[in-house]
Amino acid sequence: MEKLKALVYLPLKPEKAKQLNLPIKLPVRVEDITLIVEKDHIPLEVILRGLETQIKVGKDADYYKSYLVYFLYEKVKSLMKEQKYKEAVEYIEKAGKYEKDYRYHFYKGLVYKKLGNDSLAEVELKIASGLLENFSLSYFELGKLYLENKEYEDAENMFKRAIASNPEFSLPYIKLGDLYIETSRFEEAIQMYKKALEIDKGLPDVYNRLGVVMNILQRFNEAEKYFKKAIEIFPKYRDALLNLSYTLTRMGKLYEAFKILKDLEKNFPDDPVILNELGILMRELGLFEESIEKLSKALEINKDDQNVKLNLARSLMFVDRKRAIQLLKDITGEHENYAASLIEYMERRTLLDYLKDDIKELVYNIKNKEDFLELLEEYEGEIPKEILNRVKKLQEGIVPAYDTSIDTITFLDLLSLYVLAAEDYVEMEKRVVLFCSSIYGSSKMLSAAKVILRSIQDAMERERTKENFDPESFLDIVIPEIQEIDWHFALDLSKTLEKPPIYNPKTATELAQALVNPPRYEEASENLRFFLDIVGHQ
């Protein structure tokens, strides 16, 4: 016969007992009293041992049984948090010996789900829902189960039942929003997330989700607002910060995105996703060596990631072409054809045969200049103050790493000649990136310069193939590249063919549009004719 342990009864104030869901007189084994004193609270194990002993004594067993069952399920929750699912099952069965109510089936369903047995999980959760009317938690868990298995109609039904059962329960709104994203019902997703925030405004995950939807819908200004709200609540929220950097890049705020990624790297130094995104942006800003360092580290962490390998090769292209080609030849899968096209691109030499003699002479004169700062010293036109400030910093050896909204044709003629003076396509691209990042600090200027660059390269290819300029095919190639650094510029560019030609462009944006949809040569202004000549539209 088992020897019963001696019990003492710990008196609790009624309000305290109610708060902790404990009996006013809590049975505690004598040997456990010291544990309460030492820990300055009542450990769960002490509560369970005392209640179990009390029931074995037999005195007031029915009264104490409900408390014991409650705390057995508290132990189940604790074990599940620790991922000790087999032990959790043992405590569920202990509780079931006293009463197999809705909780017994609900927690068995949760454990079965964690153990990967979805069929049994579904059965148990359905039993739980049947035993307790309007059991919103069970409907919610069933909805999650169906959603994970892509059973969207059943999942939607369960989330809606959970909401109907408890309209103040925020989680079903959130998961219903997730379901709507998966099924491309984005406006409905937005409404669900906003409903969740009406219940609780302090949910950073929901603000992040809203930002993601806005990114998908290319409503980047709204996305920025939601990501920043998530970060305001949780300043080190990795996903929201990473998503915000993506948004800012698409909005053309390259240096602001760069700062966020640099700060993220400090907090997550071995995160390959952050390293990859930082490496890509560094390349766009002309920081080629630093880009290679970050992307190399990302590839060390994920050696089989073909996307990172491709990005590293793209950066190496400007510094170490032999290594770049080796990497590109090693790329397999969906990026294999693009890798092969990059190898061909690196072999392309600058072709000047199509240029007029006076422009050729300008190009040959520039070939002797060491860098673009030398070119700027000879520039005779009026220089906008914002550009002049950046040039002065460069002359002092300071890289002006901040965003601007500069949109002007100033220096684009020099940049075009400087690009033409390069030996090959890769050097042309390198010059565009370095010039724009240093002189302008504007995504609009970088975008416009890339349009000029690709127009020049297109003209060289047409000289080789003797084909005519095809603006629609040209836009199909250029717009995806521009979208990466300034979505609004790319959007305006995509509408270029719907607009009348601009004869005398004053901004880089207008110039880029005029090069895609050129006016008749004889109608073009003198300023525009120069660019039409160098991109082969004469």
Side-chain angles (χ1 to χ4, degrees), residues 61-206:
D62 290 339
Y63 170 73
Y64 284 106
K65 184 181 73 173
S66 63
Y67 290 105
L68 174 58
V69 171
Y70 171 82
F71 283 102
L72 283 170
Y73 286 122
E74 288 298 298
K75 180 65 176 179
V76 169
K77 288 192 277 186
S78 174
L79 289 167
M80 288 186 70
K81 282 182 182 178
E82 298 172 19
Q83 298 182 355
K84 296 178 179 177
Y85 302 121
K86 289 184 179 179
E87 288 182 52
V89 171
E90 292 175 10
Y91 278 87
I92 292 170
E93 295 301 340
K94 273 187 181 183
K97 286 178 182 177
Y98 297 103
E99 184 180 6
K100 288 187 177 178
D101 61 4
Y102 70 93
R103 291 171 293 182
Y104 173 80
H105 296 285
F106 177 71
Y107 285 108
K108 280 194 86 169
L110 294 187
V111 171
Y112 280 135
K113 185 171 178 292
K114 291 294 184 183
L115 293 173
N117 195 330
D118 288 356
S119 297
L120 285 178
E122 181 181 3
V123 168
E124 294 294 343
L125 290 170
K126 281 183 174 179
I127 294 172
S129 300
L131 289 174
L132 182 65
E133 188 178 0
N134 294 327
F135 188 15
S136 58
L137 263 176
S138 188
Y139 296 142
F140 173 67
E141 291 295 339
L142 275 166
K144 282 171 59 182
L145 182 67
Y146 293 138
L147 180 58
E148 287 173 15
N149 290 306
K150 311 296 183 187
E151 297 172 39
Y152 296 119
E153 188 175 341
D154 288 337
E156 183 175 6
N157 180 47
M158 284 299 152
F159 290 138
K160 286 182 175 179
R161 288 185 71 178
I163 290 168
S165 301
N166 183 2
E168 297 304 308
F169 184 22
S170 63
L171 292 180
Y173 294 103
I174 297 170
K175 294 307 291 184
L176 196 50
D178 294 348
L179 182 154
Y180 289 148
I181 288 180
E182 282 194 34
T183 53
S184 301
R185 296 157 66 182
F186 302 116
E187 292 299 334
E188 290 173 88
I190 291 168
Q191 292 308 311
M192 287 302 104
Y193 293 144
K194 287 183 176 180
K195 285 279 189 183
L197 290 174
E198 286 175 14
I199 297 167
D200 185 351
K201 288 182 169 59
L203 298 171
D205 284 347
V206 180

Side-chain angles (χ1 to χ4, degrees), residues 203-212 215 223-248 260-261 264 268 274:
L203 298 171
D205 284 347
V206 180
Y207 288 109
N208 181 58
R209 282 170 159 89
L210 276 166
V212 169
N215 270 349
E224 179 184 12
K225 178 184 73 174
Y226 286 121
F227 290 134
K228 286 185 174 179
K229 184 64 179 176
I231 294 160
E232 180 186 320
I233 298 168
F234 180 17
K236 291 188 177 181
Y237 190 174
R238 180 255 190 204
D239 288 356
L241 286 161
L242 190 59
N243 289 333
L244 177 59
S245 72
Y246 171 91
T247 302
L248 293 171
I260 288 171
L261 287 170
L264 269 174
F268 305 94
I274 292 169

